[in-house]
Amino acid sequence: MIRLIHTADWHLGHAQYGLEQRMLDNAAAANWACQQAAAAGCPLLISGDIFHGREPGPRAFRQAVHCLSIVKRAGLPALAIAGNHDRGWRSRTSWLHVLADMGLIQLLDITIANGKVLWDGAIAEALDFRVVGIPYLGGSLPNLLPSLRTYLLGLAPRPTILMLHTDIAGIVPGFAATLTAADLEPLASSVSYVALGHLHVPFLLPDADHVYLGNPGALEAQSVAEGNDAGFVLDVILRDGGAAVTPIPYENRRRYMNLHIEADGLSMEQIVLAVEHEVDRGLDGRALAKEPIVNVYLSGRLAFDAAELDIEAIRKAVTRRPVLHCLIKDNTTPKDAETDAHDESLSRQDLEHAILSQRMAGNERFPDPERWAYTGLELRALVRSDTEEQALGLIRETADETGAA
């Protein structure tokens, strides 16, 4: 029996909202993943983004060394590929190569010389199976697949795992994906299991009973959009030319509480009481492993002057209970704002977002104008109510996600 533990997207070094504790959360999750491999006594596959950035810093690097040493001490290999966050740039050398030089990972990568793909560095041959690893290539990956298929057909038949850091269409609504599941089907005669990373949501395709593509998702949510479902490692067993996959949940994931407060007709005191009520309703009777992150979304038309909206009072209504962090997003409409008679459904936020998106369109500094426009609106709320470091953290997070320089 060939058994492996598949994980991805650790994002070591990511201090979400500028919080040191969030960096420690990611390290704890990576440590747990390595313990799963050691306990199972089988190799570990890491399908990209061990680090959150190309320059992770000494603390994140030490966290990686500590986690991967668990696997090494168990006498087990850890095979990894580079993701879009931690791949080398220009020189191609990265901190992943240092981990490889230390014997903590086997880093799989292709080489392109004179327009020809060299596969030697992308192949790991074990006693009874083979792993092929291709790092994040973005939109170039589809062009490589015919060459990969030809190469694999020329190898001796044996159970083969393909590691990729890429997205698959249809998983995240509205996401412009690089590949479809059908793009990988021509490889099925040579590949038993495709070990994916990159998208932070877990999925198994075509279904849990007949898995060809497996994506464990991020163990810790890296943004509020990723929700509160548990992160996973995938326990993979190769058999009968295919794979049996069992998701193992990471139950210690930090949770988000998203509170939506409609301010229409409410006084400032009533808004504070509404926030207190929602916080209590979300926390009472729940045994959370970690203090949650609370996001308060204010909407509707204010019944009082906008200058009297007391963000700090709202924050105190949240932090009177044990929470890690509170982020308040003010999307309210001022009391005296005029309503467009032609489109009463258009909110101030929608209008501002449309204007910002249009101004950023065509500017190469903003690869995803709509995403950056939302970030601009969030930054305004942070400037009003949070620290400079949190604002800078949001900018860095958006730059990482959109590939901005």
Side-chain angles (χ1 to χ4, degrees), residues 66-94:
H66 173 79
C67 295
L68 293 165
S69 293
I70 296 172
V71 182
K72 184 177 181 179
R73 285 196 298 270
L76 302 166
L79 298 99
I81 56 174
N84 56 310
H85 281 261
D86 55 12
R87 60 179 175 166
W89 189 247
R90 292 189 174 90
S91 69
R92 292 176 56 84
T93 301
S94 73

Short mmCIF file of all heavy atoms in Angstrom, two decimals, residues 66-94:
data_model
loop_
_atom_site.label_atom_id
_atom_site.label_comp_id
_atom_site.label_asym_id
_atom_site.label_seq_id
_atom_site.Cartn_x
_atom_site.Cartn_y
_atom_site.Cartn_z
N HIS A 66 11.44 24.15 12.12
CA HIS A 66 10.90 23.40 13.27
C HIS A 66 9.86 22.38 12.81
O HIS A 66 9.89 21.21 13.22
CB HIS A 66 10.28 24.36 14.27
CG HIS A 66 9.56 23.68 15.39
ND1 HIS A 66 10.21 23.13 16.47
CD2 HIS A 66 8.23 23.45 15.59
CE1 HIS A 66 9.33 22.58 17.29
NE2 HIS A 66 8.12 22.76 16.79
N CYS A 67 8.93 22.81 11.94
CA CYS A 67 7.86 21.91 11.50
C CYS A 67 8.41 20.76 10.66
O CYS A 67 8.08 19.58 10.91
CB CYS A 67 6.83 22.70 10.69
SG CYS A 67 5.93 23.94 11.64
N LEU A 68 9.22 21.08 9.68
CA LEU A 68 9.73 20.06 8.76
C LEU A 68 10.69 19.10 9.45
O LEU A 68 10.84 17.95 9.00
CB LEU A 68 10.39 20.73 7.56
CG LEU A 68 9.41 21.49 6.65
CD1 LEU A 68 10.17 22.42 5.71
CD2 LEU A 68 8.55 20.52 5.86
N SER A 69 11.31 19.55 10.53
CA SER A 69 12.21 18.66 11.28
C SER A 69 11.43 17.50 11.92
O SER A 69 11.99 16.43 12.17
CB SER A 69 12.96 19.45 12.36
OG SER A 69 13.86 20.37 11.77
N ILE A 70 10.15 17.72 12.18
CA ILE A 70 9.32 16.63 12.72
C ILE A 70 9.26 15.47 11.73
O ILE A 70 9.38 14.30 12.11
CB ILE A 70 7.89 17.15 13.01
CG1 ILE A 70 7.92 18.23 14.09
CG2 ILE A 70 6.95 16.01 13.39
CD1 ILE A 70 6.58 18.94 14.28
N VAL A 71 9.11 15.80 10.46
CA VAL A 71 9.04 14.78 9.41
C VAL A 71 10.41 14.13 9.23
O VAL A 71 10.52 12.90 9.10
CB VAL A 71 8.54 15.40 8.09
CG1 VAL A 71 8.43 14.34 7.01
CG2 VAL A 71 7.20 16.09 8.30
N LYS A 72 11.44 14.96 9.22
CA LYS A 72 12.80 14.43 9.02
C LYS A 72 13.20 13.49 10.15
O LYS A 72 13.78 12.42 9.91
CB LYS A 72 13.80 15.57 8.89
CG LYS A 72 15.21 15.10 8.57
CD LYS A 72 16.16 16.27 8.38
CE LYS A 72 17.56 15.77 8.03
NZ LYS A 72 18.50 16.89 7.81
N ARG A 73 12.89 13.87 11.39
CA ARG A 73 13.25 13.01 12.53
C ARG A 73 12.52 11.68 12.48
O ARG A 73 13.01 10.66 13.00
CB ARG A 73 12.92 13.73 13.85
CG ARG A 73 13.90 14.82 14.22
CD ARG A 73 13.74 15.21 15.69
NE ARG A 73 12.42 15.73 15.97
CZ ARG A 73 12.07 17.02 15.88
NH1 ARG A 73 12.98 17.91 15.51
NH2 ARG A 73 10.86 17.41 16.16
N ALA A 74 11.37 11.65 11.84
CA ALA A 74 10.63 10.39 11.68
C ALA A 74 11.18 9.55 10.54
O ALA A 74 10.66 8.46 10.27
CB ALA A 74 9.15 10.69 11.44
N GLY A 75 12.23 10.06 9.88
CA GLY A 75 12.84 9.30 8.78
C GLY A 75 12.00 9.30 7.51
O GLY A 75 12.11 8.37 6.70
N LEU A 76 11.19 10.36 7.33
CA LEU A 76 10.27 10.42 6.20
C LEU A 76 10.62 11.58 5.27
O LEU A 76 11.09 12.62 5.74
CB LEU A 76 8.83 10.59 6.71
CG LEU A 76 8.33 9.51 7.66
CD1 LEU A 76 7.06 9.97 8.36
CD2 LEU A 76 8.09 8.21 6.88
N PRO A 77 10.38 11.43 3.98
CA PRO A 77 10.64 12.54 3.06
C PRO A 77 9.50 13.55 3.03
O PRO A 77 8.34 13.20 3.24
CB PRO A 77 10.78 11.84 1.70
CG PRO A 77 9.91 10.63 1.82
CD PRO A 77 9.98 10.20 3.27
N ALA A 78 9.83 14.79 2.77
CA ALA A 78 8.85 15.84 2.51
C ALA A 78 9.15 16.40 1.13
O ALA A 78 10.23 16.93 0.88
CB ALA A 78 8.94 16.94 3.57
N LEU A 79 8.21 16.24 0.22
CA LEU A 79 8.39 16.71 -1.16
C LEU A 79 7.56 17.97 -1.36
O LEU A 79 6.38 18.02 -0.97
CB LEU A 79 7.96 15.63 -2.15
CG LEU A 79 8.79 14.34 -2.09
CD1 LEU A 79 8.04 13.30 -1.27
CD2 LEU A 79 9.11 13.81 -3.45
N ALA A 80 8.16 18.99 -1.97
CA ALA A 80 7.49 20.29 -2.06
C ALA A 80 7.72 20.92 -3.43
O ALA A 80 8.68 20.61 -4.14
CB ALA A 80 8.01 21.22 -0.96
N ILE A 81 6.78 21.83 -3.77
CA ILE A 81 6.94 22.68 -4.93
C ILE A 81 6.73 24.12 -4.48
O ILE A 81 6.17 24.39 -3.42
CB ILE A 81 5.94 22.34 -6.06
CG1 ILE A 81 4.48 22.41 -5.55
CG2 ILE A 81 6.23 20.96 -6.64
CD1 ILE A 81 3.43 22.22 -6.63
N ALA A 82 7.19 25.05 -5.30
CA ALA A 82 7.02 26.47 -5.00
C ALA A 82 5.63 26.93 -5.42
O ALA A 82 5.10 26.50 -6.44
CB ALA A 82 8.09 27.30 -5.72
N GLY A 83 5.06 27.83 -4.62
CA GLY A 83 3.78 28.44 -4.96
C GLY A 83 3.98 29.85 -5.48
O GLY A 83 5.11 30.32 -5.62
N ASN A 84 2.89 30.52 -5.73
CA ASN A 84 3.00 31.89 -6.24
C ASN A 84 3.53 32.85 -5.18
O ASN A 84 4.13 33.89 -5.51
CB ASN A 84 1.64 32.39 -6.74
CG ASN A 84 0.55 32.31 -5.70
OD1 ASN A 84 0.35 31.27 -5.07
ND2 ASN A 84 -0.17 33.41 -5.48
N HIS A 85 3.38 32.52 -3.90
CA HIS A 85 3.86 33.41 -2.85
C HIS A 85 5.35 33.24 -2.56
O HIS A 85 6.02 34.23 -2.23
CB HIS A 85 3.07 33.18 -1.55
CG HIS A 85 1.73 33.82 -1.55
ND1 HIS A 85 1.48 35.02 -0.93
CD2 HIS A 85 0.55 33.44 -2.10
CE1 HIS A 85 0.21 35.35 -1.09
NE2 HIS A 85 -0.38 34.40 -1.79
N ASP A 86 5.87 32.03 -2.64
CA ASP A 86 7.24 31.80 -2.18
C ASP A 86 8.21 31.34 -3.27
O ASP A 86 9.33 30.93 -2.99
CB ASP A 86 7.26 30.80 -1.02
CG ASP A 86 6.59 29.47 -1.35
OD1 ASP A 86 6.30 29.22 -2.53
OD2 ASP A 86 6.36 28.68 -0.41
N ARG A 87 7.80 31.42 -4.52
CA ARG A 87 8.71 31.03 -5.61
C ARG A 87 9.86 32.03 -5.71
O ARG A 87 9.76 33.19 -5.30
CB ARG A 87 7.96 30.98 -6.93
CG ARG A 87 7.36 32.31 -7.32
CD ARG A 87 6.64 32.26 -8.65
NE ARG A 87 5.99 33.53 -8.93
CZ ARG A 87 5.51 33.89 -10.10
NH1 ARG A 87 5.60 33.07 -11.12
NH2 ARG A 87 4.93 35.06 -10.27
N GLY A 88 10.98 31.57 -6.26
CA GLY A 88 12.10 32.48 -6.51
C GLY A 88 11.74 33.48 -7.59
O GLY A 88 10.87 33.24 -8.42
N TRP A 89 12.41 34.60 -7.58
CA TRP A 89 12.11 35.67 -8.53
C TRP A 89 13.38 36.07 -9.24
O TRP A 89 14.40 36.35 -8.63
CB TRP A 89 11.51 36.87 -7.80
CG TRP A 89 10.97 37.93 -8.69
CD1 TRP A 89 11.45 39.19 -8.85
CD2 TRP A 89 9.83 37.84 -9.55
NE1 TRP A 89 10.70 39.89 -9.75
CE2 TRP A 89 9.69 39.09 -10.19
CE3 TRP A 89 8.93 36.82 -9.85
CZ2 TRP A 89 8.68 39.33 -11.12
CZ3 TRP A 89 7.92 37.08 -10.76
CH2 TRP A 89 7.81 38.32 -11.37
N ARG A 90 13.31 36.08 -10.59
CA ARG A 90 14.43 36.43 -11.46
C ARG A 90 15.56 35.41 -11.33
O ARG A 90 15.81 34.65 -12.24
CB ARG A 90 14.91 37.86 -11.17
CG ARG A 90 13.89 38.91 -11.57
CD ARG A 90 14.46 40.33 -11.49
NE ARG A 90 13.51 41.30 -12.00
CZ ARG A 90 12.61 41.91 -11.26
NH1 ARG A 90 12.56 41.68 -9.96
NH2 ARG A 90 11.76 42.77 -11.79
N SER A 91 16.27 35.38 -10.17
CA SER A 91 17.36 34.42 -10.03
C SER A 91 16.84 33.01 -9.81
O SER A 91 17.59 32.05 -9.90
CB SER A 91 18.25 34.80 -8.84
OG SER A 91 17.55 34.61 -7.62
N ARG A 92 15.50 32.89 -9.48
CA ARG A 92 14.84 31.63 -9.21
C ARG A 92 15.23 31.03 -7.87
O ARG A 92 14.60 30.11 -7.38
CB ARG A 92 15.08 30.59 -10.33
CG ARG A 92 14.41 30.95 -11.63
CD ARG A 92 14.77 29.93 -12.72
NE ARG A 92 14.43 28.58 -12.35
CZ ARG A 92 13.23 28.04 -12.49
NH1 ARG A 92 12.24 28.76 -12.97
NH2 ARG A 92 13.01 26.79 -12.15
N THR A 93 16.31 31.51 -7.24
CA THR A 93 16.69 30.99 -5.94
C THR A 93 15.76 31.55 -4.88
O THR A 93 15.41 32.72 -4.89
CB THR A 93 18.14 31.39 -5.61
OG1 THR A 93 19.00 30.87 -6.62
CG2 THR A 93 18.56 30.84 -4.26
N SER A 94 15.34 30.69 -3.95
CA SER A 94 14.43 31.13 -2.91
C SER A 94 14.82 30.46 -1.60
O SER A 94 15.72 29.61 -1.54
CB SER A 94 12.99 30.76 -3.27
OG SER A 94 12.79 29.36 -3.13
#
